[in-house]
């Protein structure tokens, strides 16, 4: 049961870094592997930490305010791989505009040593 709590804590750390626009905390939460993937809602897949990091830096730079609520639907572990399925409600101010967006997200973590690292983040917009 502690692995489930550890995966949930790793997921929460990712969202805290996201919400605080903290690239250093994001680097701590994410794997730096060349095979890492990130799909921001409505965008093309990004592969490898360098490309993913650049996208987060750009998002953080262009966003004045972020507030994120998550509702975890499922957390599963199979060996050294875990996934978390959830809904994200993102409130943000960017370019002077207030926006609220809801996405369904899947976050995949890999256990390396004694820590879980995010290796895949995929957000899909919820149709309204």
């Amino acid at each position: 049961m502690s692995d489930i709590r550890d995966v949930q804590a790793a997921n929460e750390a990712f969202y805290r870094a996201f919400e605080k626009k903290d690239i250093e905390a994001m680097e701590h939460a994410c794997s730096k592997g060349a095979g890492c993937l990130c799909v921001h809602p409505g965008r093309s897949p990004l592969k490898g930490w360098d490309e993913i990091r650049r996208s987060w830096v750009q998002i953080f730079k262009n966003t004045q305010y972020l507030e994120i609520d998550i509702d975890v639907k499922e957390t599963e572990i199979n060996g050294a791989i875990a996934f978390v399925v959830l809904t994200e409600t993102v409130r943000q101010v960017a370019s002077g505009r207030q926006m609220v967006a809801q996405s369904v997200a899947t976050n995949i973590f890999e256990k390396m040593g004694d820590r879980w690292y995010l290796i895949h983040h995929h957000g899909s917009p919820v149709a309204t």
Side-chain angles (χ1 to χ4, degrees), residues 30-38 46-49 52 112 118-121:
C30 296
S31 170
K32 309 309 173 297
C36 295
L37 292 166
C38 179
L46 303 169
K47 187 170 182 180
W49 175 245
I52 293 167
M112 294 177 247
L118 183 67
I119 61 169
H120 181 99
H121 169 72

Side-chain angles (χ1 to χ4, degrees), residues 40-127:
H40 296 297
R43 304 243 176 105
S44 298
L46 303 169
K47 187 170 182 180
W49 175 245
D50 291 341
E51 193 174 348
I52 293 167
R53 184 187 190 283
R54 277 193 297 279
S55 76
W56 287 116
V57 167
Q58 194 67 28
I59 289 167
F60 295 166
K61 179 178 150 190
N62 293 322
T63 305
Q64 292 78 48
Y65 173 80
L66 267 173
E67 181 181 324
I68 304 166
D69 294 319
I70 61 171
D71 181 16
V72 173
K73 304 297 184 186
E74 191 70 42
T75 303
E76 292 289 334
I77 297 174
N78 185 354
I81 300 293
F83 67 85
V84 180
V85 176
L86 57 113
T87 56
E88 311 168 332
T89 302
V90 179
R91 292 169 187 80
Q92 69 184 95
V93 176
S95 303
R97 292 183 351 181
Q98 293 183 18
M99 296 172 270
V100 178
Q102 194 170 50
S103 300
V104 174
T106 301
N107 294 326
I108 301 174
F109 296 85
E110 182 176 14
K111 190 170 189 175
M112 294 177 247
D114 61 349
R115 287 197 48 221
W116 291 93
Y117 293 90
L118 183 67
I119 61 169
H120 181 99
H121 169 72
H122 184 155
S124 295
V126 174

Side-chain angles (χ1 to χ4, degrees), residues 7-46:
V7 168
Q8 291 169 340
N11 191 64
E12 289 170 20
F14 165 71
Y15 281 101
R16 276 194 306 275
F18 185 179
E19 188 173 61
K20 292 179 185 215
K21 302 184 300 176
D22 184 341
I23 196 63
E24 289 177 14
M26 187 72 74
E27 288 176 335
H28 188 71
C30 296
S31 170
K32 309 309 173 297
C36 295
L37 292 166
C38 179
V39 182
H40 296 297
R43 304 243 176 105
S44 298
L46 303 169

